């Protein structure tokens, strides 16, 4: 599977093999384990969560076997299982896809709400601008509702992710305090990551959470970090250069949101 070299250059991506991984030291750098295109086809990775913690304290992803939704917040790595219950992730667990940064926000704003998801994201767009770079974000406050999902652990031979999410478990949180973490990638990042917004949610008591399908927010604080570079860990079997083998827009839409 190839990742388009033109996209790599546009996003200032440094490509690393597992043997070349090093702890991040520069601010405003995003670390990504593998690509969304690779995740669509398989769910085993070579990066442990012990290694991940050297690359960021805020982010999202999944675990090997597509075993739930991963939320990284305040340096803790949490897994939302198929019922939306939160579990601490052991350092020895591995991931086929994760995105992290040491969160250092350049933008902060308070909102009074209520805002639906479209209004919330439009507010962030207006505040941060620069649609051609990667942004990490954290939204902390009270949510009128959050519609979230997770998926059960998969067994080999793995089905394509678009089939797995057809069996997703969906749950609703109402009038709840919590944290949304996520990223906004440029539209041309298709194949590397989800273009636009990718968001995960966890309640303030860190007991429930999942991948955000929809939400409304009341009083909240929004923080956004502008990211200059992306450090991409390239697992075995994923190549860089040549024609893009990125995921189709339709496949990504079906993975990211409900049909």
């Amino acid at each position: 599977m190839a990742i388009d070299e033109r996209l790599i250059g546009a996003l200032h991506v440094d490509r690393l093999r597992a043997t070349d991984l090093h702890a991040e030291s520069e601010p405003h750098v995003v670390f990504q384990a593998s690509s969304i295109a690779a995740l669509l086809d398989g769910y085993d990775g070579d990066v442990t969560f012990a290694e991940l913690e050297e690359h960021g304290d805020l982010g999202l992803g999944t675990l090997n076997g597509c075993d739930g939704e991963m939320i990284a917040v305040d340096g803790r790595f949490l897994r939302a299982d198929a019922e939306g219950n939160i579990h601490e992730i052991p350092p020895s667990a591995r991931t086929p896809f994760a995105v992290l940064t040491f969160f250092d926000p350049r933008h902060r704003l308070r909102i009074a709400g209520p805002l639906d998801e479209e209004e919330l994201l439009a507010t962030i767009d207006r505040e941060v601008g620069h649609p051609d770079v990667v942004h990490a974000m954290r939204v902390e406050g009270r949510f009128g509702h959050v519609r979230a999902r997770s998926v059960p652990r998969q067994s080999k031979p793995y089905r394509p992710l678009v089939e797995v999410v057809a069996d997703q478990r969906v749950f609703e949180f109402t009038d709840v305090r919590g944290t949304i973490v996520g990223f906004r990638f440029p539209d041309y990042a298709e194949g590397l990551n989800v273009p636009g917004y990718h968001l995960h949610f966890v309640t303030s008591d860190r007991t429930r959470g999942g991948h955000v399908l929809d939400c409304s927010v009341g009083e909240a604080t929004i923080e956004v970090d502008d990211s200059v570079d992306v450090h991409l860990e390239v697992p075995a079997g994923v190549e860089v250069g040549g024609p893009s083998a990125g995921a189709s827009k339709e496949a990504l839409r079906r993975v990211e949101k409900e049909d």
Side-chain angles (χ1 to χ4, degrees):
M1 177 173 295
I3 302 171
D4 197 325
E5 186 75 47
R6 294 167 298 176
L7 183 150
I8 296 292
L11 282 180
H12 305 284
V13 175
D14 290 329
R15 296 149 290 182
L16 304 169
R17 294 293 180 181
T19 54
D20 299 323
L21 290 183
H22 53 79
E24 307 299 342
S25 57
E26 300 175 16
H28 315 298
V29 171
V30 166
F31 173 82
Q32 181 168 312
S34 192
S35 69
I36 195 69
L39 180 66
L40 290 176
D41 294 331
Y43 318 125
D44 287 333
D46 54 7
V47 178
T48 68
F49 281 85
E51 292 169 322
L52 273 187
E53 69 179 2
E54 297 182 343
H55 298 279
D57 54 15
L58 179 140
L60 50 76
T62 188
L63 288 81
N64 276 8
C66 209
D67 187 15
E69 306 287 347
M70 186 275 281
I71 307 106
V73 60
D74 297 325
R76 295 176 66 187
F77 291 91
L78 309 172
R79 176 177 68 91
D81 67 18
E83 305 305 322
N85 298 315
I86 292 294
H87 309 268
E88 295 277 354
I89 298 174
S92 59
R94 295 177 183 268
T95 178
F97 177 78
V99 193
L100 289 168
T101 190
F102 283 110
F103 194 58
D104 183 15
R106 290 178 167 175
H107 311 268
R108 290 183 178 87
L109 65 152
R110 291 281 300 172
I111 57 172
L115 301 177
D116 62 24
E117 183 181 50
E118 183 176 347
E119 292 168 331
L120 170 64
L121 301 185
T123 298
I124 296 173
D125 286 342
R126 287 193 301 272
E127 173 68 17
V128 304
H130 303 295
D132 53 342
V133 300
V134 181
H135 295 89
M137 64 203 61
R138 175 174 180 156
V139 182
E140 188 90 27
R142 181 165 293 280
F143 294 84
H145 86 277
V146 178
R147 184 171 175 82
R149 71 108 192 275
S150 189
V151 294
R153 181 180 178 86
Q154 301 298 297
S155 300
K156 295 181 179 179
Y158 293 136
R159 296 178 296 161
L161 190 57
V162 290
E163 295 181 15
V164 172
V165 296
D167 298 331
Q168 66 188 359
R169 312 282 175 80
V170 178
F171 19 87
E172 300 272 356
F173 307 114
T174 303
D175 191 22
V176 62
R177 295 196 66 85
T179 307
I180 282 179
V181 303
F183 294 86
R184 189 187 78 180
F185 270 73
D187 289 342
Y188 57 79
E190 181 182 336
L192 178 67
N193 206 302
V194 176
Y197 288 91
H198 185 177
L199 307 173
H200 287 189
F201 173 77
V202 63
T203 56
S204 290
D205 61 6
R206 307 302 191 237
T207 61
R208 302 275 287 160
H211 172 104
V212 176
L213 297 172
D214 187 33
C215 69
S216 65
V217 61
E219 216 174 291
T221 300
I222 301 171
E223 297 179 309
V224 182
D225 187 358
D226 304 336
S227 300
V228 178
D229 297 296
V230 178
H231 291 178
L232 174 67
E233 186 271 336
V234 185
V238 175
E239 299 300 330
V240 177
S244 174
S248 71
K249 287 188 173 78
E250 176 61 18
L252 286 173
R253 186 193 67 78
R254 291 174 60 191
V255 167
E256 183 65 13
K257 295 293 185 181
E258 296 172 285
D259 284 323

